[in-house]
Every structure is written in C-alpha cells, then in structure tokens.
Amino acid sequence: MANTHIPDNDAKTLYLLDEKRLLYVATTRAKSHLYITYAKVYEGRKTEAKPSKFLTEINFKQNPLVDFKEFKVDPKALPVSSEPLEQLKQEYQASVVNSIHQMNLCTAIQKIVGLGKIKYFKEHKTLDGFDSADLLKTDGEPHIDDKLYHKPAPLIKKETFRLSPSKIDTYEDCPLKFKFQYVLRVPQLPKTYFAMGRTMHSVAEQLVKMEQNGTKPTKELALEVFEQQWDSALYRNQRTKESQDKATSKEMIKTYLDWDEKNPNTPVDVETKFKISIHDATISGIIDRVEMTPDGEYEVIDFKTGKAYKNKNTIKNDIQMNVYALGTEKLYQKLPKKTSLFYIKSNEIVSHFIDRERLEEFKTTLGETVDDIFDEKFQANPGWKCRWCDYAQICDEKDPI
C-alpha cells in the first residue's frame, strides 16, 4: 500500500469489502494527501497483479514523498453474512458480473435465473409457482439497433407526441420554428394578446353554459364573467396596454352578444375536445363551438380576437377548419355543413363549406405533412416573417433582411 504520512486525528477511511477479499481502501486527510491501495492477489487470479502504471511512474516504493507499506489480509477474517441465503445471493451476483465482463452471456442468464429463484424463495418460502420465463419477458432495449448502426435516437415518437392544428400550421409556416417550439421546447416571450384570446373564449364558453341552464346572456352578466376571467399576469405592469386591451375586449363582447342574439343556430357543445388519427399519428384539438342548424346540420365556429387573415379562398385549405371538420365527424358521426372563423374584433365571419371529395384530398396532403414531421424534416423556411419570429436570435437560417 502506498500512502503519505498524515496525522491520525484527521483520518477519514472508507473500506469496501466482500466475503473473499479487500476490494479498495481510500483515506483522505487533507487536499494534498491520499491513501492508495492495490491488491496483488484476489479471487480468480493465479498470479500476482501488477500495480497501475501511474504508481510505477512515480516510483512509489523508493519515492521519498510516499510512505509505502505492505500488509496481508486474511479472507477468513473479513465479515461475511451469516445468512446462507444472503451468501448465496452475493455469490450469484458476483458470478453474474464476472460472466458479463467476460461476455459469457449464457452463464450470466443462468445465474440471473438463479437470482430470480433466490428472490422468489425469499418472498414465498417456496419455489412452487416460479417460472423463469417471466424473467425473460422483454421487448428488448429501445433503439439498440439504431445504436449499433450509429443512428441517432428519434426526437419525437408517434406513440407519445400529440399534434394539433396549430402545431401543424406552425410546421407549414416554418419546420425549423416547429422544432424550436414543440420539439426542443425553447421558451417564448409572453404575449399580451393571449390574455384577450383566453378571456374571450372563457366568456363565450360560460355564457353558452349559462344559456343552456336557462340564464339568458346579458351585457352585464358577460362583463361580470369577463372581469372574473381577465388575467393581468401577462402584462407585467403595462397598465396602459392592459387598459387598451380591456376596452377592446369589452367591445368584442358587445359584438359577440349581438351576433349570438341574431344567430338562428342552437349551441350543441363548447370547448369540445376531439382526437383523430392520421397515418398512425394522433391529432387533437378543441373546437370553440359546435352548433345545430334549424334543418339539423352541424356547423363549427372558431373565435378569433386578432385581425382577419383568411378569406373565402384561402380558408378552403386552412388546416384548422378542415381538421375541425374531421373532428366533428369523429364526435358526431356526421360531417359539419361548414366550419367558420369568426373575427370578433372586425365582426367578420369567413366560412368554409365542407365537401367530402375536397376533404379526402386534404387528408392525403395532411398525411404527407405528418410523415414529414415524424421523419424530422425540420429545414428552415426563411422569409419576411423571420423579423417577427421568437427564435430569430438563435436561428442561423433566418432571412437577413
């Protein structure tokens, strides 16, 4: 054993033992002192082991800075478990480790089965009912084939990753942005307009539920719900901006109430959750409002509190409107007559009339997009929108203009 001389009152020594040999001793006293040991003979060796290279490099036996000592340990003097079953378990555990190190995998499996019997016997006091096949039931290590071929593990899996119309819309806008936002989950800066959107959706939902329970929506009741639902947290003391947004929201509530009073349709559901499957991937979402027309047809309304950005032509290919049609069919076993965007701020409704043939074409295109997402095709799509992107500062592919 090689060690430097250290006063005994500073000693902190760790002994790691097994039933047959002293494995390791390390003693630290001060930052510049260390006890080091190496075993010459241990289980399984027929010849004496040589010291490590770094010990021979410092000439540890003749080095004046090293206090070298030799001692022998009697294996019979080392503590062992007095319980035969515990001794048997330790013996099998050591054999499993040695077999794995030597890549004797059949022997390792046999010993693992033996450990399984030991565990079962300890718990049940009998081997009746023990089945070694239960130990070997496994689906294998995930991605071991990919590791062998040096393939990277997938970033997302169809089994666990949930798509939504807004996520797919982001991918269509810029696949790299989708990766930043939904795969890598890079945080975004909080946006105050979310407060308006969430509050308006909550007000519309609560008013419909009240109406279904026999309470007629009024402006006073709507404003009361509005004040209860409003969240100032996103504004971070931007009081002027918050006051402006609250005033705008109250005007939108008035617009909503006027529309609702003239609406001949009957609300069926609000904030309705749905799931559909496309190419074995799950797409989920929440429909703001499902209505029934006087002639028994379904219609879908999605409320928007921002500027109108869709028209009667562009809405035909809108991901959200078409996915909502598929979601409605899944929920009610019938396609809606139309899906509409209600831009409350400008009091404008843009509708998409559902056609089965066009919807099937959309599903084909959507399936291709889903495949691209899970194939991890996250290339950038730079353009004029880069200047407003939350990830522009970390994106090497952004439009420099």
Side-chain angles (χ1 to χ4, degrees), residues 9 69 140 175 208 242 256 259:
N9 58 358
K69 294 181 180 179
V208 170
E242 183 177 5
Y256 168 83
W259 166 80

Side-chain angles (χ1 to χ4, degrees), residues 183-200:
V183 179
L184 302 181
R185 298 184 180 181
V186 180
Q188 294 177 291
L189 293 173
K191 298 177 177 61
T192 56
Y193 57 73
F194 284 147
M196 287 198 301
R198 292 170 186 168
T199 304
M200 286 302 304

